[in-house]
Amino acid sequence: MLLGIDARMPPELLYCLARMGHGDEIALVDANYPAASTAAHCVMPDPLPLAGLDAAEAADLITGLMPLDPFVAYCALRMEVDDHPDEVTAVHRAVLDVIEARMPEGAGTGSLERQAYYAHARNCFAVVQCNEARAFGCFILRKGVVF
């Protein structure tokens, strides 16, 4: 056991976060996402499960330890709803509320069309799969630096 680490944080995810450097990204994906086939292309070749957590809880757990990147156009991306790219769903809002509370000054968020999200996720450092059941509950989180 370690002091100050949330008990819901699995050791594999803690190891992953420690290995990541500035600019590396995590795909935080919902329960329906093809996590295993996507993770096969990543540095961490197996998905990291966050069983029992929804997307907002998972984002809170991750961003409680991982700083977000203010030096590029986005520190986080959300998967767009098919044919409705500007729609911000309840799951999007819940996760963006967590992210916006932790964003450093100058950081921003963005979105990706679903197929573009799949392609982008294959280049992430890791895929973290939570138990989010709401559709389009997928995000990319970009690691920043500790000041």
Side-chain angles (χ1 to χ4, degrees):
M1 295 297 296
L2 298 172
L3 297 172
I5 304 294
D6 190 310
R8 300 171 302 165
M9 176 64 72
E12 297 81 10
L13 181 53
L14 187 59
Y15 175 65
C16 171
L17 295 174
R19 287 184 64 199
M20 291 173 66
H22 176 227
D24 283 336
E25 297 177 333
I26 284 182
L28 172 59
V29 301
D30 62 28
N32 291 306
Y33 191 84
S37 60
T38 300
H41 300 274
C42 299
V43 173
M44 303 288 284
D46 294 309
L48 302 171
L50 280 178
L53 300 183
D54 66 21
E57 293 166 329
D60 184 54
L61 186 67
I62 292 167
T63 62
L65 295 175
M66 185 184 88
L68 295 170
D69 192 352
F71 299 116
V72 294
Y74 67 88
C75 67
L77 299 168
R78 64 174 174 82
M79 179 190 283
E80 295 173 356
V81 176
D82 290 338
D83 301 319
H84 301 281
D86 296 325
E87 181 179 344
V88 176
T89 67
V91 67
H92 292 151
R93 184 74 267 148
V95 172
L96 289 171
D97 285 347
V98 169
I99 290 167
E100 288 167 359
R102 295 224 167 99
M103 285 190 332
E105 186 175 333
T109 62
S111 64
L112 289 171
E113 181 274 330
R114 185 166 56 92
Q115 294 303 320
Y117 179 97
Y118 291 157
H120 191 110
R122 284 191 290 275
N123 294 309
C124 285
F125 194 90
V127 176
V128 176
Q129 188 165 40
C130 64
N131 281 68
E132 182 59 63
R134 294 174 285 185
F136 302 98
C138 299
F139 303 84
I140 303 284
L141 305 176
R142 185 177 172 94
K143 188 173 184 181
V145 295
V146 176
F147 291 104

